[in-house]
Amino acid sequence: MGLAVALALLPCSAPAAAQAGLVGTPISVCVKRVAANDRALALLTDPRGFDCVTDQRRFGPGDFWVVSRPFVTDSRWPARIRVVSTWQRSATLWARYADGAVRMLPGDGRATTRRLQLGAIVEYKLPSRAVPVTRLLWHVLDAANARGLVLAPHSASPAESAMSNMLLAGLYGCFVGLCLSLFIYNLALFAALRHRFQLAYCVMVASLLVYALSSSGALAWLAPNITNNDRVRISYLSLAVSAVAALAFARAFFEPRVFAGALGRAADAVTALLIGSAVLFAVLEPWHARLLGQLCADSFAALMLIAPAALWRAWRQRSNYLWLFGLAWAVPIALATLRVAGTLGLTGWSFWMDNSTLLAMALEAVTSALAIAYRVHLLSRERDEAREQEMAARLLADTDPLTGLLNRRAFLAQAIGREGDQCLLILDVDHFKRVNETIGHDGGDEVLRVIARSLRAAAPPGALVARFGGEEFVTVCSADAAPLSMLLLERLRTQRMPYDMTVTSSIGSCTGPLMRETDWKRLYREADRALFAAKAAGRDRARDATQLTAAA
């Protein structure tokens, strides 16, 4: 949870200075704006007019010369010059050797892509000579200069370069593996539980996977013909999508009341700003690239303000999930705050701060997994309680409260449509008014409960038993079942009644199809006629409508 939000909170310039393996020996550089009469060889020989003190970012966007101070490489191996990738149209490099020879390495967008190493490091492989390199000169065109012109240049050996790639491959591999596991975990949970915050989390993780692929430089290995600036565009867009998904995750994770009102409207505005600024940057670049990049960074800074506001509102609203959210967000938000400070120029660029997202990923993976699991547990418990209440309500709606048998409505809903011939039995307690007058209504209720238990015990498997009202009970079962009328009468005759009172019942039955409502009306009418025949014959007996028809 927290990592996704933390990555979303990273300033938009983060893709321009992605994680880098700062191996080798650092190189000091000086800056000069391009003038009409500048010549590379002359500047390498006599680099006057260069500023070696001012922060590169203060020069603003444009075209520049960047020259190194004198240094010496080891001539035993071909030097690797490694710099952090930044937003620029091209960066051509000249290298001057100790014997005065100069070699030029062109650096347009596609050439830069082909030089990218893991960590989005642009690596220039200088030609090997018997003498060392003593000075470097970059010609940088159309630089946005949001983080620098030639950022963190280092001279490294081939072994150091290979070791950097190997270590970063391991780190990014762990990052991707962790993202994939979180994606699969939450997607499976969403398929089972259908909670919106799980789907938002999946979108976050998927966007972060794309961001990791592009910002790490691995995309350049997969698509070597893509320009470096196009790779950065993908980083901008994927980071913006992950930020929007992070905000959607927070809104779905908390109770709706937390983001109600003004905070919800502010979240909608930040969402529009995040997507809009990233799309504008990707579409309009190189037009005012630095201004658009700043707009994108400001949108992420606005998102930073939403996080504490949401936590404050959750605390005021006494949210049940505040401690979970705070636990998962604490470290990533702290790291994101430092990165925003770097974007605003309050702190310098740091390789370890750029790589802090990997640490945040590890911490967030543990805390968010626990937080989401606990959140799912609470939601599952709430859903189970709701289901129990629903089942209880349905049970109350379908059963007779006195006897626990089906009521008339539930009985008809289940009885009509049963396949095959069915036997319908109607039981009526004889002289029930006299029973109530003799032992009272409470005693009469107990008599009805005793009869209900006897009906339920005598009914064959699959039978439906209901109280239709008053002292009338009905049962429907398959016509193939054993005759129920006489069995039920014998059970009732031996059943002990309240106050040892003698209570008898009369039964009428009829057999036939029960597929439609018209079938039900016919069966009930015939069974009711048989019931009246049983009462007319002296009560405490059973009659079948089919036998009555045959006798007639």
Side-chain angles (χ1 to χ4, degrees), residues 149-164:
L149 298 168
V150 176
L151 185 59
H154 280 66
S155 171
S157 68
E160 289 173 325
S161 175
M163 180 61 69
S164 173

Side-chain angles (χ1 to χ4, degrees), residues 163-438:
M163 180 61 69
S164 173
N165 279 335
M166 185 175 67
L167 292 176
L168 287 177
L171 289 174
Y172 283 115
C174 291
F175 183 94
V176 171
L178 204 52
C179 283
L180 286 174
S181 63
L182 289 173
F183 178 83
I184 295 171
Y185 167 68
N186 283 277
L187 188 63
L189 285 177
F190 175 74
L193 302 175
R194 298 292 178 178
H195 297 313
R196 287 189 301 130
F197 68 84
Q198 294 164 334
L199 185 60
Y201 196 92
C202 290
V203 175
M204 276 194 294
V205 173
S207 301
L208 291 174
L209 282 171
V210 176
Y211 170 73
L213 182 68
S214 59
S215 66
S216 68
L219 181 62
W221 293 12
L222 298 175
N225 289 326
I226 189 174
T227 66
N228 189 51
N229 286 352
D230 285 340
R231 178 190 64 83
V232 176
R233 286 189 180 93
I234 295 173
S235 294
Y236 273 70
L237 291 172
S238 59
L239 199 59
V241 172
S242 67
V244 171
L247 186 55
F249 171 82
R251 299 181 73 169
F253 188 85
F254 280 119
E255 299 90 341
R257 66 178 184 273
V258 173
F259 278 87
L263 186 59
R265 292 190 293 272
D268 292 337
V270 170
T271 297
L273 183 60
L274 284 166
I275 295 297
S277 61
V279 170
L280 284 175
F281 186 94
V283 173
L284 297 181
E285 180 285 324
W287 182 79
H288 291 298
R290 183 164 181 167
L291 176 63
L292 294 174
Q294 186 62 46
L295 176 62
C296 189
D298 291 342
S299 68
F300 280 85
L303 182 59
M304 284 290 294
L305 299 177
I306 293 291
L311 294 175
W312 170 256
R313 173 69 71 83
W315 179 77
R316 292 291 302 272
Q317 296 286 340
R318 301 189 182 278
S319 169
N320 294 323
Y321 315 119
L322 175 59
W323 72 272
L324 296 172
F325 212 68
L327 177 66
W329 277 36
V331 173
I333 284 185
L335 295 174
T337 301
L338 293 176
R339 296 201 64 174
V340 169
T343 301
L344 299 177
L346 302 178
T347 61
W349 178 86
S350 168
F351 164 74
W352 293 112
M353 188 55 60
D354 262 5
N355 280 274
S356 63
T357 52
L358 297 178
L359 173 62
M361 178 64 175
L363 295 175
E364 192 274 346
V366 176
T367 54
S368 69
L370 293 175
I372 290 176
Y374 185 73
R375 177 74 168 93
V376 170
H377 166 71
L378 294 180
L379 288 172
S380 298
R381 190 171 66 181
E382 292 173 1
R383 187 174 66 178
D384 291 343
E385 291 175 355
R387 284 179 174 176
E388 290 176 0
Q389 294 174 358
E390 182 182 0
M391 291 176 63
R394 287 181 179 179
L395 186 62
L396 290 174
D398 291 346
T399 58
D400 172 58
L402 178 63
T403 63
L405 300 178
L406 294 174
N407 58 26
R408 183 186 185 96
R409 182 190 62 80
F411 176 85
L412 292 177
Q414 299 181 42
I416 298 176
R418 289 167 65 103
E419 296 182 355
D421 285 349
Q422 303 293 315
C423 177
L424 175 66
L425 180 151
I426 302 176
L427 180 147
D428 189 83
V429 181
D430 295 332
H431 302 299
F432 188 68
K433 181 179 180 181
R434 187 187 305 167
V435 172
N436 281 332
E437 291 173 349
T438 303

Side-chain angles (χ1 to χ4, degrees), residues 90-115:
S90 67
T92 300
L93 175 65
W94 282 267
R96 187 170 184 265
Y97 292 81
D99 60 359
V102 175
R103 295 291 182 268
M104 187 267 285
L105 285 77
D108 61 14
R110 287 184 172 82
T112 299
T113 299
R114 288 189 287 271
R115 293 191 178 106

Side-chain angles (χ1 to χ4, degrees), residues 116-131:
L116 278 178
Q117 306 298 305
L118 285 182
I121 297 296
V122 181
E123 183 177 273
Y124 297 87
K125 299 179 182 179
L126 299 182
S128 179
R129 291 177 56 83
V131 294

